[in-house]
Amino acid sequence: MKKSSLFIAALAFGVTTAFAQDLTSKKGEPILPEAGDYAIGVDAYPLLNYFGNLANGTQGNAPFGWNFTNNGAMITGKMFASETMAYRGMLRIGFGSTKSANYVTKNGTVSNPPEMVLDEMKASGNFIGLGGGLEWRRGKGRLQGYWGGMAMFTMSGAKDTYTYGNVIDATYQMPVTTDFTTPLPGGGFSSGPAASRTTERKYGTEMGFGLRGFVGAEFFILPKISIGGEFGWGLMFSSIGEGTSTSEFWDAPNNRVGTTTTTTAKWSMFGVDTDNNAFGLAPAAVLIHFHF
């Protein structure tokens, strides 16, 4: 009986030791993040959905890809100051422009086919997003819980400019002009005589500021690779400044081309809510983090 008790105690000690083993791989690689490590996060849903469909025999599965962990498409990352504390960062800097073109009949053309001129619209925009915060963590083995807070700032703007092949003058007070707001099913845009046409549209600058608390948990399935979920709550303020729209027309009383500028109203929003409803910057999600 005494030997049996000793055997059971030894077995229990061995099992406990196996589960409480040093958190390293068979190659001696640390499983959990360490001071000086960096991490990037991606949305785990495409991967889970892909393998889930494989298991249930779904046909025509689309290949999975890396998705941003937030609707605002900001790159997210961490830098570990210690095993239990990390700095968080979010960044997005974007600039871009698109150009649309459409041919219209030239003023006064009599040839067949008619001579054509080109109307163009150029749309440009920019976006800057920054975020930073602190994360603390604790856990038992591979399972780690974490919490912390972040501040976020965004700013964006946009402008449209229009150039037209047909001029407005005393002879052609309503020249054929492209309506870039009405695309045609087969390509191109609608066009017709226009008494007034837009030459420039400046959208109001949009600015946003947010403070966010978060809590989550992750499980390290492989050395330095974890899967987990996160929820957040906080406040967000967003505003859009005044914009302007400038148009040109034939000013008959003064026998010249006239211009008029209208102003769009300001807009603002304030909210305190969970991420799923209020922000779009870091919604609750299933995430995979890679540490290196």
Side-chain angles (χ1 to χ4, degrees):
M1 179 67 70
K2 187 175 181 180
K3 291 182 179 181
S4 178
S5 298
L6 289 173
F7 174 77
I8 294 174
L11 179 63
F13 177 78
V15 172
T16 303
T17 303
F19 282 94
Q21 61 182 316
D22 185 27
L23 291 174
T24 57
S25 69
K26 293 181 179 179
K27 296 181 179 180
E29 303 165 324
I31 291 174
L32 302 181
E34 302 173 293
D37 281 359
Y38 292 85
I40 56 174
V42 296
D43 188 353
Y45 176 77
L47 178 64
L48 298 177
N49 185 62
Y50 181 80
F51 285 107
N53 286 337
L54 284 180
N56 62 29
T58 300
Q59 299 295 317
N61 288 322
F64 61 85
W66 283 34
N67 286 1
F68 288 99
T69 60
N70 50 79
N71 293 337
M74 296 174 72
I75 299 171
T76 63
K78 304 178 186 180
M79 194 281 280
F80 284 81
S82 68
E83 290 81 359
T84 57
M85 194 276 276
Y87 298 102
R88 281 191 167 205
M90 303 172 70
L91 174 66
R92 177 186 172 191
I93 300 177
F95 302 90
S97 65
T98 59
K99 183 180 289 187
S100 300
N102 190 62
Y103 284 98
V104 298
T105 304
K106 183 179 179 180
N107 284 343
T109 185
V110 294
S111 60
N112 188 16
E115 188 176 351
M116 310 296 284
V117 292
L118 188 66
D119 292 346
E120 291 185 326
M121 181 192 77
K122 181 180 179 181
S124 59
N126 59 80
F127 183 97
I128 298 175
L130 300 170
L134 296 174
E135 173 186 301
W136 292 271
R137 57 176 52 229
R138 58 172 296 174
K140 300 292 185 181
R142 293 174 180 255
L143 180 62
Q144 299 280 299
Y146 61 86
W147 65 94
M150 296 187 68
M152 296 167 286
F153 171 78
T154 62
M155 182 173 65
S156 62
K159 182 176 74 170
D160 301 335
T161 56
Y162 302 80
T163 57
Y164 302 101
N166 286 326
V167 299
I168 294 178
D169 56 23
T171 303
Y172 302 101
Q173 299 180 16
M174 297 179 60
V176 176
T177 300
T178 299
D179 177 7
F180 285 101
T181 65
T182 310
L184 299 175
F189 298 87
S190 174
S191 62
S196 175
R197 59 193 186 185
T198 303
T199 57
E200 183 181 77
R201 181 178 289 113
K202 293 181 179 179
Y203 299 90
T205 300
E206 182 173 359
M207 301 181 69
F209 178 75
L211 291 174
R212 174 181 185 256
F214 59 85
V215 61
E218 58 186 352
F219 186 82
F220 283 80
I221 55 177
L222 293 170
K224 303 299 180 78
I225 299 177
S226 67
I227 185 168
E230 179 177 313
F231 300 92
W233 177 89
L235 63 87
M236 182 70 181
F237 174 79
S238 180
S239 68
I240 299 178
E242 291 183 346
T244 60
S245 179
T246 302
S247 300
E248 64 178 3
F249 60 96
W250 181 250
D251 183 1
N254 295 303
N255 195 38
R256 63 180 177 82
V257 176
T259 60
T260 181
T261 300
T262 58
T263 302
T264 58
K266 299 178 180 179
W267 175 91
S268 64
M269 180 276 293
F270 174 80
V272 178
D273 208 336
T274 57
D275 290 338
N276 283 349
N277 297 322
F279 302 107
L281 285 178
V286 178
L287 311 174
I288 295 177
H289 276 94
F290 299 88
H291 304 75
F292 49 91

